[in-house]
Amino acid sequence: MKNLRNAWSPYLKYGNKLVFEENSVVYRQGCEGKGFFFLSEGGIKITLLSKEGVERTVNYVPEGMLFGEHGTRKEAYLTSALTICSTVVYHFSDEALEKVCKNHPEAACIFTNSLIYKFRILAEIIAFLNSPVEQQMAHYLLKLINENGSFSIDQTSFARYIGTSRITVNKILNKWKTQKIIDLSNRTIEILDINRLKELRESGGIHIENLDLLMWTTKE
């Protein structure tokens, strides 16, 4: 799973290139699936709408990763995908997936591992659901930075990602800045003490196997 990022790049010729403007909906939760996507350039956030009507951001897709895999076989999309900036994606229909796997048998393993990774994300959300906000923030900040490198996100968006208020996020971020755990500059959160953040993440006794196994790019 370590080399999932950009692993699907050799098969882009089988997909349909699409360009979206900022704040565009790529697919919406509950709609009939029309295949899956590969993020080539830009940014995608994945949101989940609860039965109570509360929408929460559950993931930011790193460039070079698949998303919307649950939309194959005309299955309803379990989440929604929206662009956070001008974005280029490749769409793969069920027919395209079959053709890719027929011509490149190794692609089936890549697709399956990508699905497994998405279940891992859900496991993380469930594991940290009732944890203190500071512990959740430490976990998701480490995840964002490690998957995307330097990552720009405003405090309102980060609050939606955690499922808390902007005031709470601001209070904890400023606390961390004072403790020299992070630095804040132009919407970018720079980690100064990664070991301290990991300690905060694990402070509640939650340990997910291979928590730091991330989708690093295969590019050198």
Side-chain angles (χ1 to χ4, degrees), residues 168-208:
T168 300
V169 166
N170 179 265
K171 181 179 178 181
I172 294 175
L173 287 178
N174 281 302
K175 172 186 172 182
W176 289 353
K177 183 177 180 179
T178 300
Q179 295 174 340
K180 299 188 183 304
I181 297 174
I182 64 167
D183 192 21
L184 301 172
S185 177
N186 297 325
R187 293 183 59 184
T188 300
I189 303 173
E190 179 184 359
I191 297 178
L192 303 178
D193 191 342
I194 192 169
N195 290 326
R196 179 62 181 134
L197 266 187
K198 288 181 178 180
E199 289 175 3
L200 288 170
R201 180 186 65 186
E202 298 165 3
S203 61
I206 295 176
H207 300 281
I208 298 178

Coordinates of all heavy atoms in Angstrom, one line a residue, residues 168-208:
T168 N -12.8 26.5 18.8 CA -12.0 25.5 19.5 C -10.7 25.2 18.7 O -9.6 25.1 19.3 CB -12.8 24.2 19.5 OG1 -14.0 24.4 20.3 CG2 -12.0 23.1 20.2
V169 N -10.8 25.1 17.4 CA -9.6 24.9 16.6 C -8.6 26.0 16.7 O -7.4 25.8 16.9 CB -9.9 24.7 15.1 CG1 -8.7 24.8 14.2 CG2 -10.6 23.4 14.9
N170 N -9.0 27.2 16.7 CA -8.2 28.4 16.8 C -7.5 28.4 18.2 O -6.3 28.7 18.3 CB -9.0 29.7 16.7 CG -8.1 30.9 16.8 OD1 -8.1 31.5 17.9 ND2 -7.5 31.4 15.8
K171 N -8.2 28.1 19.2 CA -7.6 28.0 20.6 C -6.5 27.0 20.7 O -5.4 27.3 21.3 CB -8.7 27.7 21.6 CG -8.3 27.7 23.0 CD -9.5 27.4 24.0 CE -9.0 27.3 25.4 NZ -10.1 27.0 26.3
I172 N -6.7 25.8 20.2 CA -5.7 24.8 20.3 C -4.5 25.1 19.4 O -3.4 24.9 19.8 CB -6.4 23.4 19.9 CG1 -7.4 23.0 21.0 CG2 -5.3 22.3 19.8 CD1 -8.2 21.8 20.7
L173 N -4.8 25.6 18.2 CA -3.6 25.9 17.3 C -2.7 27.0 17.9 O -1.5 26.9 17.8 CB -4.2 26.4 15.9 CG -4.8 25.3 15.0 CD1 -5.3 25.9 13.7 CD2 -3.8 24.2 14.7
N174 N -3.4 28.0 18.5 CA -2.6 29.0 19.1 C -1.8 28.5 20.3 O -0.7 28.9 20.6 CB -3.4 30.2 19.5 CG -3.8 31.1 18.3 OD1 -2.9 31.6 17.7 ND2 -5.1 31.3 18.0
K175 N -2.4 27.6 21.0 CA -1.7 26.9 22.2 C -0.5 26.1 21.7 O 0.6 26.2 22.2 CB -2.7 25.9 22.8 CG -2.1 25.0 23.9 CD -3.1 24.0 24.4 CE -2.4 23.0 25.3 NZ -3.4 22.0 25.8
W176 N -0.7 25.4 20.5 CA 0.4 24.7 20.0 C 1.5 25.6 19.5 O 2.7 25.3 19.6 CB 0.0 23.8 18.8 CG -0.9 22.6 19.3 CD1 -1.1 22.2 20.5 CD2 -1.6 21.7 18.4 NE1 -1.9 21.1 20.6 CE2 -2.2 20.7 19.3 CE3 -1.7 21.6 17.1 CZ2 -3.0 19.7 18.8 CZ3 -2.5 20.5 16.5 CH2 -3.1 19.6 17.4
K177 N 1.1 26.7 18.9 CA 2.1 27.7 18.4 C 2.9 28.2 19.6 O 4.2 28.4 19.5 CB 1.4 28.9 17.7 CG 2.4 29.9 17.1 CD 1.6 30.9 16.3 CE 2.6 32.0 15.7 NZ 1.9 33.0 14.9
T178 N 2.3 28.6 20.7 CA 3.0 29.0 21.9 C 4.0 28.0 22.4 O 5.1 28.3 22.9 CB 2.0 29.4 23.0 OG1 1.1 30.4 22.5 CG2 2.7 29.9 24.2
Q179 N 3.6 26.7 22.3 CA 4.4 25.6 22.8 C 5.5 25.2 21.8 O 6.2 24.3 22.0 CB 3.5 24.4 23.1 CG 2.6 24.6 24.3 CD 1.6 23.5 24.5 OE1 1.4 22.7 23.6 NE2 1.1 23.4 25.7
K180 N 5.5 26.0 20.6 CA 6.4 25.7 19.5 C 6.3 24.3 18.9 O 7.3 23.7 18.5 CB 7.9 25.9 20.0 CG 8.1 27.4 20.5 CD 9.6 27.6 20.8 CE 9.8 29.0 21.3 NZ 9.3 30.1 20.4
I181 N 5.1 23.8 18.9 CA 4.8 22.5 18.3 C 4.5 22.8 16.8 O 4.9 22.0 15.9 CB 3.5 21.9 18.9 CG1 3.8 21.5 20.4 CG2 3.2 20.6 18.1 CD1 2.6 21.0 21.1
I182 N 3.9 23.9 16.5 CA 3.6 24.3 15.1 C 3.9 25.8 14.9 O 4.2 26.5 15.8 CB 2.1 24.0 14.7 CG1 1.2 24.9 15.6 CG2 1.8 22.6 14.9 CD1 -0.2 25.0 15.1
D183 N 3.9 26.2 13.6 CA 3.9 27.6 13.3 C 2.8 27.8 12.2 O 2.5 27.0 11.4 CB 5.3 27.9 12.7 CG 5.5 29.5 12.6 OD1 4.8 30.2 13.3 OD2 6.3 29.9 11.8
L184 N 2.2 29.0 12.3 CA 1.1 29.4 11.4 C 1.5 30.5 10.5 O 2.0 31.5 11.0 CB -0.1 29.8 12.2 CG -0.7 28.8 13.2 CD1 -1.8 29.4 14.1 CD2 -1.3 27.6 12.4
S185 N 1.3 30.4 9.2 CA 1.6 31.4 8.3 C 0.9 31.2 7.0 O 1.0 30.2 6.3 CB 3.1 31.4 8.0 OG 3.5 32.3 7.0
N186 N 0.1 32.2 6.6 CA -0.7 32.3 5.3 C -1.4 31.0 5.1 O -1.3 30.3 4.0 CB 0.3 32.5 4.1 CG 1.0 33.8 4.2 OD1 0.4 34.8 4.6 ND2 2.3 33.9 3.8
R187 N -2.3 30.6 6.0 CA -3.1 29.4 6.0 C -2.4 28.1 6.0 O -3.0 27.0 5.9 CB -4.0 29.5 4.7 CG -5.0 30.6 4.7 CD -5.9 30.5 3.4 NE -6.6 29.2 3.3 CZ -7.3 28.8 2.2 NH1 -7.4 29.7 1.2 NH2 -7.9 27.7 2.2
T188 N -1.1 28.2 6.1 CA -0.3 26.9 6.2 C 0.2 26.6 7.6 O 0.7 27.5 8.3 CB 1.0 27.1 5.3 OG1 0.6 27.3 3.9 CG2 1.8 25.8 5.3
I189 N 0.0 25.4 8.0 CA 0.4 24.9 9.3 C 1.7 24.1 9.2 O 1.7 23.1 8.5 CB -0.7 24.0 10.0 CG1 -2.0 24.8 10.0 CG2 -0.3 23.6 11.4 CD1 -3.2 23.9 10.5
E190 N 2.7 24.7 9.7 CA 4.0 24.0 9.7 C 4.3 23.3 11.0 O 4.3 23.9 12.0 CB 5.2 25.0 9.4 CG 6.5 24.4 9.3 CD 7.6 25.4 9.1 OE1 7.3 26.6 9.1 OE2 8.8 25.0 9.1
I191 N 4.6 22.0 10.9 CA 4.9 21.2 12.1 C 6.4 21.4 12.5 O 7.3 21.2 11.7 CB 4.7 19.7 11.9 CG1 3.2 19.5 11.6 CG2 5.1 18.9 13.1 CD1 2.8 18.0 11.3
L192 N 6.6 21.9 13.7 CA 7.9 22.1 14.2 C 8.4 21.0 15.1 O 9.6 20.7 15.2 CB 8.0 23.4 15.0 CG 7.5 24.7 14.3 CD1 7.6 25.9 15.3 CD2 8.4 25.0 13.1
D193 N 7.5 20.3 15.8 CA 7.8 19.2 16.7 C 6.9 18.0 16.4 O 5.9 17.9 17.1 CB 7.7 19.7 18.1 CG 8.3 18.7 19.1 OD1 8.5 17.5 18.7 OD2 8.5 19.0 20.3
I194 N 7.3 17.2 15.4 CA 6.4 16.1 15.0 C 6.2 15.0 16.1 O 5.2 14.4 16.3 CB 6.9 15.5 13.7 CG1 5.9 14.5 13.1 CG2 8.2 14.7 13.9 CD1 6.2 14.0 11.7
N195 N 7.3 14.8 16.9 CA 7.2 13.8 18.0 C 6.2 14.2 19.0 O 5.5 13.4 19.6 CB 8.6 13.6 18.6 CG 9.6 12.9 17.7 OD1 9.2 12.1 16.9 ND2 10.8 13.3 17.7
R196 N 6.1 15.5 19.3 CA 5.2 16.0 20.3 C 3.7 15.8 19.8 O 2.8 15.5 20.5 CB 5.4 17.5 20.6 CG 4.5 18.1 21.6 CD 4.5 17.5 22.9 NE 3.6 18.1 23.9 CZ 2.8 17.4 24.7 NH1 2.8 16.1 24.7 NH2 1.9 18.0 25.5
L197 N 3.5 16.1 18.5 CA 2.2 15.9 17.9 C 1.8 14.4 18.0 O 0.7 14.0 18.2 CB 2.2 16.3 16.4 CG 1.7 17.8 16.1 CD1 1.6 18.0 14.7 CD2 0.4 18.1 16.8
K198 N 2.8 13.5 17.7 CA 2.5 12.1 17.8 C 2.1 11.7 19.2 O 1.3 10.8 19.4 CB 3.7 11.3 17.3 CG 3.9 11.3 15.8 CD 5.1 10.5 15.3 CE 5.3 10.6 13.8 NZ 6.4 9.8 13.4
E199 N 2.8 12.3 20.2 CA 2.5 12.0 21.6 C 1.0 12.4 21.9 O 0.3 11.7 22.6 CB 3.5 12.7 22.5 CG 4.9 12.2 22.5 CD 5.8 13.0 23.3 OE1 5.4 14.0 24.0 OE2 7.0 12.7 23.4
L200 N 0.6 13.6 21.4 CA -0.7 14.1 21.6 C -1.7 13.2 20.9 O -2.8 12.9 21.5 CB -0.9 15.5 21.0 CG -0.2 16.6 21.8 CD1 -0.2 17.9 21.0 CD2 -0.8 16.8 23.2
R201 N -1.4 12.7 19.7 CA -2.3 11.8 19.0 C -2.5 10.5 19.8 O -3.6 9.9 19.8 CB -1.7 11.4 17.6 CG -2.6 10.5 16.8 CD -1.8 10.1 15.5 NE -0.7 9.3 15.8 CZ 0.2 9.0 14.8 NH1 0.0 9.4 13.6 NH2 1.3 8.3 15.1
E202 N -1.5 10.0 20.4 CA -1.6 8.7 21.1 C -1.9 8.9 22.6 O -1.9 7.9 23.3 CB -0.2 8.0 21.0 CG 0.1 7.7 19.5 CD 1.5 7.3 19.3 OE1 2.3 7.2 20.3 OE2 1.9 7.0 18.1
S203 N -2.2 10.1 23.0 CA -2.4 10.3 24.5 C -3.7 9.7 25.0 O -3.8 9.4 26.2 CB -2.5 11.9 24.7 OG -3.6 12.4 24.0
G204 N -4.6 9.3 24.2 CA -5.8 8.7 24.6 C -5.8 7.2 24.6 O -6.8 6.5 24.8
G205 N -4.6 6.6 24.3 CA -4.4 5.2 24.2 C -4.9 4.5 23.0 O -5.1 3.3 22.9
I206 N -5.2 5.3 21.9 CA -5.7 4.8 20.7 C -4.5 4.4 19.8 O -3.7 5.3 19.5 CB -6.6 5.7 19.9 CG1 -7.9 6.0 20.7 CG2 -7.0 5.2 18.5 CD1 -8.8 7.0 20.1
H207 N -4.4 3.2 19.4 CA -3.3 2.8 18.5 C -3.9 2.0 17.3 O -4.4 0.9 17.5 CB -2.3 1.9 19.3 CG -1.7 2.6 20.4 ND1 -0.7 3.5 20.3 CD2 -2.0 2.6 21.8 CE1 -0.3 4.0 21.5 NE2 -1.1 3.4 22.4
I208 N -3.8 2.6 16.1 CA -4.2 1.8 14.9 C -3.0 1.3 14.3 O -2.0 2.0 14.0 CB -5.0 2.8 14.0 CG1 -6.2 3.3 14.7 CG2 -5.3 2.1 12.7 CD1 -7.0 4.3 13.8

